[in-house]
Amino acid sequence: MRSISVFGATGSIGESTFDLLMHAGGRGAFRTVALTGGRNVARLAAQARALGAEVAVSAYDDCLPALRAALAGSGIEAAAGTEALLEAADRPADWVMSAIIGAAGLAPGFRALRHGGTLALANKESLVAAGPLLMAEAARHGARILPVDSEHSAVFQALVGEDIALVERIIITASGGALRDWPLERLAHATVAEASRHPNWAMGQRITIDSASMFNKAMELIETREFFGVAPAQIEVLVHPESIVHALVGFADGALMAHLGAPDMRHAIGYALNWPARGALPVARLDLAALGQLSFRAPDPLRWPALRLAREVMEVRGQAGAVFNAAKEVALDSFIAGQVGFMDMAGLVESTIDKMVTRQSLGNAATSLDMVLQTDAEARAVARSLSGQEKD
Ligand code: NAD
Ligand code: MG
């Protein structure tokens, strides 16, 4: 029986993963090693009971008593805190879902690779902040990383049986997010609530705001480069409001292979779960006649400066991705807290990168995860001080 663990089981990706695991037979089909979550211990405990997990871990120490109480009588171990998350990652599992949000997902993912199994990677921050290191770690342990981001899963599927050397370009699509059709001059005044209403995808609030600002797509540009090893100039972003075509791969003969599907993350999660085969998935089937038409347009660089920043980060490479990711998380926190405006987020990230460049040579690659986490911490401190200044 295949053993599995889910990091970030109570989040948006985690819940979709749980749904698919239950659909595929639940505890009768999988041996669940570890499930992890945050403060929603009731939900974490319910999932752990349903799948008969060995251990359930909350990321927060103070949640331990409540988690213990919720698991009483089940025989399931309860644990909490950062060390407990790493200990859970040390428990061997054939298939591990990495769906913690943010830089907090890096260390558990790295640790899970040591078993040489499969890491289904939703945590794109791992590739943005530490791509070369993560891929090298996987290679060293004979582990496999499968993409879970919908665009990257789409590219991965379009590449089955193909020679990557014959790929001319990779096009990832973007819905444009909640504020896509707003007049440019209104964007500066967009509220958190307005930026949090995604037109097509039901996701966590942070990634939904990142969709509106295109920081999510900016991260995905870097993720594409790191995952598939193509040059930055080969990767394009295309605004596609319907979110039906997730990505396209262009080959040397001019052919473009597109991946289409309903906007439902269970497509990509299910592909990673069943890979290299395909399994029946409980997702909506497309009715193209009912859809009638699909539309595409080039992204407006004034509206979405995050895309230009990502290209600059890809040029520098080294540790620029770690700075970019950390600064983006601080900028998002500052926007959610009402400290900076919607259009100030990109400026804050850019200023953080500029400041960090003068401090150290960002172009030098990180040689350890500790180094990445150190750069992450420094970049956060710089971004926080800058966002404080921008308040006045
Ligand atoms: P979410 O906020 O809904 O869930 C995050 C999960 O991580 C929860 O289980 C939460 O308890 C846990 N968590 C939060 N902070 C933590 C911390 N500091 N330490 C340990 N655990 C913590 O996030 P999500 O939308 O499911 O996204 C998860 C990851 O998947 C992100 O990296 C995101 O970019 C990526 N992703 C999400 C989607 C989507 O549709 N939601 C699509 C593509 C990629
Ligand atoms: Mg995506």
Side-chain angles (χ1 to χ4, degrees), residues 7-14 36-40 59-60 85 98-102 104-105 122-125 148-151 201-207 216 219-220 265:
F7 287 79
T10 55
S12 172
I13 293 290
T36 87
R39 300 207 168 277
N40 193 350
Y60 308 105
L85 281 176
S98 167
I100 288 175
I101 191 149
N123 182 270
K124 64 190 83 183
E125 295 87 347
V148 171
D149 217 343
S150 56
E151 299 75 6
W201 297 89
M203 308 186 288
Q205 185 194 36
R206 299 182 71 85
I207 190 171
N216 182 49
M219 306 263 290
E220 291 180 0
M265 285 308 295

Side-chain angles (χ1 to χ4, degrees), residues 20-79:
L20 289 182
L21 292 172
M22 293 303 284
H23 190 261
R27 59 194 303 166
F30 304 95
R31 184 171 70 79
T32 302
V33 179
L35 297 181
T36 87
R39 300 207 168 277
N40 193 350
V41 294
R43 183 61 193 147
L44 178 61
Q47 290 181 338
R49 283 176 185 271
L51 285 171
E54 276 173 23
V55 61
V57 187
S58 163
Y60 308 105
D61 293 298
D62 57 312
C63 289
L64 186 56
L67 184 59
R68 276 212 179 107
L71 289 171
S74 66
I76 299 168
E77 265 178 77

Side-chain angles (χ1 to χ4, degrees), residues 67 71 97 142-143 180 243 251 263 290 295 349 351 385 389:
L67 184 59
L71 289 171
M97 167 56 77
R180 179 187 61 221
S243 297
F251 293 92
S295 56
V349 172
S351 309
S385 74
Q389 284 160 18

